[in-house]
Amino acid sequence: MASGGVCVKDVNQQQFVTAFAAFLKKGGKGKIPEWVDIVKTGKHKSLSPYDPDWFYVRAASVLRRLYYRSGVGVGTMIKVYGGKKRNGVAPPHRCTGAPGLARKVFQYLEELKMVDKEPEGGRRLTSTGRRDMDRIAFQLKNPRRN
């Protein structure tokens, strides 16, 4: 845990994902794919995301999921980020997210040294990733007074 005993579980998750996405974007170390502005996030979607920084938000969300549960891989992430496909007059069905996108997010996080592969399969947080996440959570819990 970071200084003060604050971890990711102690803060509002929406605020944390937004703050950590800003941290990833500001760092600018990793290389994101050039197709992020035109790709859909799953076959159940009709358009790409409106937010131009959606890749950083997805990466922060994946890291938050790995914080809670280690050892998840691409298969788990495409189930988590799937959704309901509307089939017109036919009944809707559950649909998985894009596996290539989940793989690229993991590769981006591995490039930043926040995630590495587990020997049994899946990915896990590194100590660097956990430290950065706890630091951002601490900053959210205890904002500086000006």
Side-chain angles (χ1 to χ4, degrees), residues 8 19 29 102 112 145:
V8 174
K29 294 178 186 170
L112 294 178
R145 296 190 177 121

Side-chain angles (χ1 to χ4, degrees), residues 2-143:
S3 57
V6 176
C7 70
V8 174
K9 297 177 182 181
D10 298 332
V11 297
N12 182 341
Q13 300 305 305
Q14 188 173 6
Q15 291 175 352
F16 173 77
V17 168
T18 306
F20 202 77
F23 168 76
L24 289 174
K25 184 177 180 184
K26 190 174 110 181
K29 294 178 186 170
K31 182 179 180 296
I32 63 170
E34 63 243 7
W35 44 257
V36 295
D37 55 339
I38 57 172
V39 73
K40 299 191 309 180
T41 57
K43 63 183 181 180
H44 61 285
K45 297 286 188 177
S46 57
L47 295 172
S48 62
Y50 292 125
D51 185 9
D53 299 330
W54 71 268
F55 190 81
Y56 298 108
V57 174
R58 176 65 60 96
S61 176
V62 166
L63 277 173
R64 187 184 75 82
R65 290 225 173 238
L66 283 174
Y67 190 93
Y68 288 122
R69 183 171 159 215
S70 183
V72 297
V74 173
T76 304
M77 286 300 153
I78 65 173
K79 289 176 196 164
V80 167
Y81 293 107
K84 182 173 74 169
K85 180 174 174 146
R86 298 176 55 183
N87 296 322
V89 296
H93 295 287
R94 177 107 177 110
C95 203
T96 58
L101 175 62
R103 197 167 26 261
K104 287 294 183 186
V105 167
F106 278 134
Q107 289 170 357
Y108 170 73
L109 293 173
E110 284 175 0
E111 189 179 334
L112 294 178
K113 305 274 192 271
M114 293 189 171
V115 170
D116 61 357
K117 292 184 179 178
E118 277 195 352
E120 302 88 31
R123 306 297 206 286
R124 68 171 172 218
L125 271 178
T126 61
S127 59
T128 307
R130 188 171 292 275
R131 184 189 66 223
D132 288 344
M133 292 175 77
D134 285 339
R135 187 166 42 83
I136 298 295
F138 179 77
Q139 290 172 0
L140 283 175
K141 190 78 171 180
N142 303 315

